[in-house]
């Protein structure tokens, strides 16, 4: 690994927030955990937070499970890597519903509004299924964690998305939804606090659109939606203010982005797209990490089949009948690996040329899955030479 590239990636860990973005299945969660482990080895108190519903982070950290609460990885588990880790490592997995509840409990203007919102079925829909709500509450969580100042570094593993800015724009989209003219209409007094009598009056002629809507949804539904929006109305400015603060944090020198990919064509194209979007948005992209890169074990040297077969002609797979000499099979495997490694090298060369001057770091395909701290530390040794 280029020392310059490793130093660039290490510089990301000197900031306050690192956000890993990338398409699904490229090892983004694993990379996030490996970066957090390296930061702990640098003596930092670090939290890695995943939004990905897959539970790989807990497994790789040696934890039985992860919840919405920050969980410290035991020192003895860190020591099992054989590395000297003087910092502290925490992990958590964002629970969408619980995180939304925390936002409401923290910022509702009064207990009555809090209870009204939490019990409302429109809120339950917003907190579990509205497009962008997952990303929005992740931003709220990031804001709360950063404001608390309990960690030197927060590493955020974002959900897979085809558009990196979907995640960054989520706060604005949710706020736009809450602040839309239709929502203002509901909270303008036409419904709020009017009850069913008020609704009947409203339906009698105050707004043609209201009558049409009530015909399809029912007066009870409109009343419930009106109460929900009315309860939220006192929180709009807070939503906007925190979203603005998060945007400032993401665009500042306190935050760094790492794009994660693999050398396969489709993830590579998506990584280029992510890098382009983030750069246009003036976000700081520190590095691109390519996982599962095939390695040429002969390091470019020609493959001499005859010599290899002759040297291993007496070697056969123990206990296996009907297979050819092991030397021939080994030669076939090495030849296949050479081809795959050559293809990956060309892909990475193209990637490096298009994201320059952002460095590209390659993590080789291991002969085992990374599912524990030892595997994460193996990645760190590759990335940082530690």
């Amino acid at each position: 690994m280029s020392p310059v590239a490793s130093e660039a990636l290490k510089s990301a860990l000197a900031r306050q927030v690192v956000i890993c973005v990338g398409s699904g299945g490229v090892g983004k969660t694993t990379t996030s955990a490996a970066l957090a482990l390296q930061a702990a080895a640098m003596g930092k108190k670090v939290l890695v937070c995943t939004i990905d519903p897959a539970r790989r982070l807990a497994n790789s950290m040696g934890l039985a499970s992860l919840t919405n609460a920050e969980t410290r990885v035991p020192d003895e588990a860190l020591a099992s890597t054989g590395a000297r880790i003087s910092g502290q490592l925490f992990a958590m997995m964002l629970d969408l519903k619980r995180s939304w509840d925390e936002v409401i409990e923290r910022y509702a203007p009064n207990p009555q509004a809090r209870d009204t919102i939490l019990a409302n079925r429109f809120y339950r829909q917003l907190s579990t299924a509205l497009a962008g709500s997952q990303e929005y509450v992740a931003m709220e969580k990031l804001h709360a964690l950063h404001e608390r100042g309990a960690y030197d570094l927060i590493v955020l593993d974002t959900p897979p998305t085809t558009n990196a800015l979907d995640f960054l724009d989520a706060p604005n989209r949710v706020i736009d939804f809450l602040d839309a003219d239709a929502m203002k209409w509901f909270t303008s007094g036409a419904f709020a606090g009017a009850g069913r009598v008020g609704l009947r009056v409203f339906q009698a002629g105050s707004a043609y659109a209201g009558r049409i809507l009530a015909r399809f949804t029912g007066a009870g539904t409109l009343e419930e939606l009106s109460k929900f929006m009315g309860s939220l109305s006192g929180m709009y400015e807070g939503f906007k203010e925190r979203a603005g603060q998060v945007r400032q944090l993401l665009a500042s020198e306190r935050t760094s982005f790492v794009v994660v990919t693999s050398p396969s064509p489709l993830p590579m194209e998506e990584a280029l797209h992510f890098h382009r979007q983030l750069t246009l948005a003036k976000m700081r992209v520190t590095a691109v990490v390519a996982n599962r890169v095939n390695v040429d074990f002969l390091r470019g040297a020609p493959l001499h089949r005859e010599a290899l077969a002759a040297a291993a002609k007496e070697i056969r797979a123990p206990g296996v009948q009907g297979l050819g000499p092991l030397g021939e099979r080994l030669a076939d495997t090495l030849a296949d690996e050479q081809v795959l490694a050559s293809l990956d090298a060309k892909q990475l060369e193209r990637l490096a040329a298009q994201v320059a001057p952002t460095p590209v770091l390659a993590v080789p395909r291991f002969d085992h899955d990374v599912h524990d701290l030892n595997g994460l530390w193996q990645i760190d040794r590759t990335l940082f030479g530690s």
Side-chain angles (χ1 to χ4, degrees):
M1 194 70 62
S2 162
V4 175
S6 294
E7 285 302 315
L9 186 57
K10 190 174 287 185
S11 73
L13 306 184
R15 304 184 190 281
Q16 298 174 9
V17 177
V18 171
I19 299 181
C20 294
V21 299
S23 52
V26 296
K28 185 162 45 60
T29 301
T30 300
T31 301
S32 301
L35 294 179
L37 179 61
Q38 175 63 31
M42 294 163 61
K44 293 180 176 296
K45 183 179 180 182
V46 54
L47 169 70
V48 56
C49 175
T50 184
I51 308 172
D52 193 334
R55 300 182 183 276
R56 290 187 296 274
L57 183 61
N59 297 334
S60 63
M61 292 289 181
L63 300 171
S65 63
L66 282 179
T67 67
N68 209 49
E70 301 133 61
T71 303
R72 182 173 179 177
V73 179
D75 288 341
E76 53 269 28
L78 296 176
S80 69
T81 62
R84 181 176 298 175
I85 297 177
S86 57
Q88 299 175 22
L89 179 57
F90 293 76
M92 65 175 292
M93 184 174 69
L94 197 72
D95 180 309
L96 182 60
K97 178 65 166 59
R98 183 60 204 144
S99 295
W100 263 109
D101 289 352
E102 289 177 357
V103 170
I104 299 302
E105 290 164 359
R106 187 180 304 123
Y107 297 114
N110 54 63
Q112 182 180 2
R114 176 199 62 200
D115 295 343
T116 299
I117 295 170
L118 293 178
N120 190 284
R121 65 187 174 100
F122 288 100
Y123 164 73
R124 292 196 291 271
Q125 184 75 9
L126 170 73
S127 61
T128 55
L130 178 67
S133 65
Q134 183 183 43
E135 291 83 357
Y136 175 78
V137 81
M139 290 290 101
E140 284 276 5
K141 193 70 178 182
L142 176 62
H143 178 271
L145 290 168
H146 184 262
E147 284 292 297
R148 208 174 83 207
Y151 298 99
D152 300 317
L153 174 68
I154 299 169
V155 180
L156 188 62
D157 168 35
T158 60
T161 174
T162 57
N163 188 329
L165 293 188
D166 281 353
F167 183 75
L168 305 178
D169 286 341
N172 292 336
R173 292 207 309 275
V174 172
I175 289 170
D176 287 346
F177 165 77
L178 296 174
D179 205 25
D181 288 343
M183 294 300 105
K184 289 179 179 176
W185 179 66
F186 275 107
T187 59
S188 64
F191 288 101
R196 292 183 179 278
V197 174
L199 283 170
R200 284 197 294 271
V201 172
F202 181 84
Q203 289 169 314
S206 62
Y208 175 75
R211 294 200 305 274
I212 295 298
L213 190 57
R215 185 182 303 167
F216 284 100
T217 63
T221 298
L222 285 182
E223 184 180 8
E224 193 174 2
L225 178 58
S226 174
K227 286 181 178 177
F228 169 58
M229 298 309 303
S231 300
L232 278 181
S233 62
M235 303 172 67
Y236 289 174
E237 291 306 314
F239 285 145
K240 290 181 181 178
E241 182 179 352
R242 291 190 298 279
Q245 291 171 351
V246 170
R247 286 301 297 250
Q248 289 180 1
L249 172 65
L250 298 183
S252 73
E253 293 188 352
R254 294 171 291 172
T255 299
S256 189
F257 285 80
V258 174
V259 177
V260 184
T261 185
S262 76
S264 300
L266 183 57
M268 286 270 295
E269 290 302 322
E270 292 180 344
L272 288 170
H273 182 62
F274 292 151
H275 185 273
R276 193 160 44 244
Q277 284 188 307
L278 291 168
T279 302
L280 288 173
K282 301 189 185 306
M283 301 294 173
R284 186 181 303 275
V285 184
T286 301
V288 178
V289 174
N291 287 317
R292 305 183 192 117
V293 177
N294 287 289
V295 175
D296 178 7
F297 295 105
L298 298 178
R299 299 182 179 180
L303 174 62
H304 300 289
R305 283 181 166 275
E306 296 76 11
L308 184 61
K313 64 181 180 181
E314 300 301 328
I315 303 175
R316 294 177 183 278
V320 178
Q321 302 296 324
L323 296 177
L326 191 59
E328 294 179 11
R329 296 171 56 204
L330 178 58
D332 290 339
T333 300
L334 289 173
D336 291 343
E337 287 294 327
Q338 273 194 320
V339 172
L340 294 174
S342 175
L343 293 173
D344 286 356
K346 290 178 181 176
Q347 290 279 27
L348 293 184
E349 185 177 346
R350 183 173 71 89
L351 175 65
Q354 296 194 38
V355 303
T358 305
V360 176
L361 296 94
V363 177
R365 181 183 295 279
F366 299 133
D367 58 3
H368 57 274
D369 290 334
V370 175
H371 54 71
D372 56 19
L373 286 165
N374 286 319
L376 296 179
W377 190 244
Q378 186 178 5
I379 293 175
D380 283 338
R381 288 201 302 270
T382 301
L383 292 173
F384 301 100
S386 51

